[in-house]
Amino acid sequence: MKTHAVSLLAGLLFALGMGLAGMGQPSTVVGFLDFAGHWNPSLMLLMCSGIPVVLLAHLLSKKLAKPLYAERFPARSSKIDASLIAGAGIFGVGWGLGGICPGPGLFALAAGMKAGALMVGGLSVGILLHGVYAGWSKPRLADETGTR
């Protein structure tokens, strides 16, 4: 139960940060991708501000025998294959065309914005299609951290 509460809190904090940064507005993402026109660097500044936070968390996690709220750390994989490249490409193209990514999309949905509803609908269809393709209909006993 603690794992779910911590995950919910982290998600809410992330959504709040994305909302305050204006990432629920597709014009922010489109402005970042408009190098030839009126380029908006705010998304790059937001991404770069997360680097020290992740670096600190990574360094702290190396000192722990196990995570605070899971049985073990996720298995790290450096496997780069065709499905990873294809999935990343599809995600990137969808993000660029739609101008909204999942975190801010959920924020936009909660705020009642049409762009959020479209993004979450498209993301849901993509997840379902992947589930059919990958055979996710089989139940999992636990995820890579040992959490059910």
Side-chain angles (χ1 to χ4, degrees):
M1 182 65 179
K2 276 197 259 184
T3 301
H4 297 301
V6 170
S7 296
L8 178 64
L9 181 62
L12 290 172
L13 183 61
F14 178 77
L16 179 65
M18 293 289 103
L20 290 174
M23 294 296 119
Q25 298 293 328
S27 60
T28 303
V29 176
V30 172
F32 172 70
L33 297 172
D34 186 12
F35 297 110
H38 298 286
W39 184 61
N40 179 356
S42 63
L43 182 56
M44 181 179 64
L45 295 172
L46 179 69
M47 289 186 287
C48 289
S49 68
I51 292 172
V53 176
V54 172
L55 179 62
L56 179 63
H58 177 71
L59 293 173
L60 290 173
S61 73
K62 290 180 122 187
K63 296 179 184 276
L64 298 174
K66 73 179 205 73
L68 299 176
Y69 298 107
E71 294 175 19
R72 62 185 177 271
F73 286 106
R76 292 189 171 99
S77 173
S78 59
K79 179 181 165 190
I80 298 175
D81 58 8
S83 64
L84 175 67
I85 293 170
I90 292 168
F91 176 81
V93 168
W95 183 33
L97 290 174
I100 194 164
C101 68
L106 291 172
F107 176 83
L109 176 67
M113 298 170 63
K114 182 180 173 183
L118 291 172
M119 189 286 308
V120 171
L123 181 66
S124 299
V125 169
I127 289 170
L128 291 172
L129 288 173
H130 180 269
V132 170
Y133 171 75
W136 277 1
S137 58
K138 301 173 200 163
R140 287 187 317 164
L141 297 177
D143 68 14
E144 66 273 5
T145 64
T147 307
R148 293 182 189 269

